[in-house]
Amino acid sequence: MKTRIPAMLCWLATPLVLAGCLFSADQGGSESRVILSEIASRLDSDEIGSYTATYRLQDGSELTVSIDPDMGRAAVVRDDQASLWTREDNSESLRLWLKVELHNILPTGRSVQTWLEAATTDDKAKVEFDDVTLAGERSDCIHIQGATDSEVENFNVCVTAIGVITRVDARTPQGQYSATLVDYRDGVGEEWFRELEEDPDTQR
């Protein structure tokens, strides 16, 4: 059971120390909006560096997302099916490619950012915060219910301090998302990328 504590104590808590904070329209609404906005701002993919994250999906399969914006490359691997993106450094192009590759599998940071931003202005939404450590990464978690102004009314999402999604459960008009981080590391594997580039079955 999550414990309710006074909204002011949650407001004084620093990011990543939000366990047990519960806000609604009649309790700490302005504080919850500030915290939601701060967490949403982490999800701007233009600010995220290179990393490799592996998720376990609802059907038990694994998904690996590896991005290296500075070098203009990224890879998405689901089980043994790989797709590779390599081109000039272009954040918008990378964002669009990820949106297509992860469609109905994992929401992009920009998509979740949009859900959170909609919830910040929705007085009917109930917002609960806590934190969790997944694959060694400490994350802030947001649980939203009744966000009628958002395309996603009910969802749970956990985000690290640098904007990596570590857990998500959401039903959207596009489909159901359910993924949990099981492995993470900064940077990308050079040898792993070379193998993908040399593999004729890798989609480009």
Side-chain angles (χ1 to χ4, degrees):
M1 177 183 295
K2 294 181 173 66
T3 304
R4 297 190 185 202
I5 65 177
M8 185 54 67
L9 294 182
C10 293
W11 170 235
L12 292 174
T14 59
L16 299 178
V17 191
L18 297 172
C21 298
L22 177 63
F23 298 107
S24 62
D26 59 353
Q27 181 187 13
S30 61
E31 288 86 354
S32 69
R33 291 188 186 100
V34 172
I35 297 172
L36 278 172
S37 294
E38 190 281 323
I39 295 173
S41 70
R42 304 177 197 172
L43 291 161
D44 187 341
S45 59
D46 291 341
E47 303 298 326
I48 295 178
S50 63
Y51 71 89
T52 301
T54 299
Y55 299 88
R56 181 164 293 113
L57 306 179
Q58 188 175 30
D59 63 3
S61 63
E62 287 195 348
L63 170 77
T64 297
V65 180
S66 186
I67 67 171
D68 187 0
D70 292 340
M71 296 298 292
R73 59 185 179 176
V76 170
V77 180
R78 184 174 184 182
D79 291 334
D80 59 353
Q81 306 226 343
S83 296
L84 192 66
W85 179 87
T86 54
R87 61 191 66 186
E88 295 296 323
D89 183 21
N90 185 321
S91 297
E92 185 62 27
S93 175
L94 173 57
R95 187 162 43 240
L96 292 174
W97 181 81
L98 285 171
K99 186 174 182 179
V100 172
E101 292 299 321
L102 299 176
H103 181 64
N104 284 344
I105 304 172
L106 185 75
T108 63
R110 184 59 60 86
S111 294
V112 176
Q113 184 181 43
T114 300
W115 305 347
L116 293 173
E117 288 173 344
T120 64
T121 59
D122 191 336
D123 290 336
K124 298 182 182 66
K126 291 191 180 298
V127 184
E128 187 174 359
F129 301 97
D130 61 15
D131 61 84
V132 69
T133 298
L134 294 167
E137 299 300 309
R138 187 77 176 275
S139 309
D140 286 328
C141 298
I142 310 100
H143 310 280
I144 306 284
Q145 290 185 333
T148 55
D149 291 343
S150 170
E151 70 167 344
V152 185
E153 186 172 344
N154 305 299
F155 64 92
N156 304 313
V157 65
C158 300
V159 181
T160 68
I162 64 168
V164 175
I165 296 170
T166 57
R167 175 179 289 164
V168 62
D169 288 289
R171 182 176 296 279
T172 76
Q174 291 75 41
Q176 174 75 33
Y177 293 114
S178 182
T180 300
L181 185 74
V182 293
D183 188 60
Y184 176 87
R185 68 186 178 98
D186 294 326
V188 301
E190 295 293 339
E191 183 176 347
W192 184 70
F193 257 98
R194 281 198 298 272
E195 290 175 355
L196 289 180
E197 290 172 344
E198 294 170 359
D199 188 341
D201 292 329
T202 298
Q203 296 182 13
R204 292 171 173 82

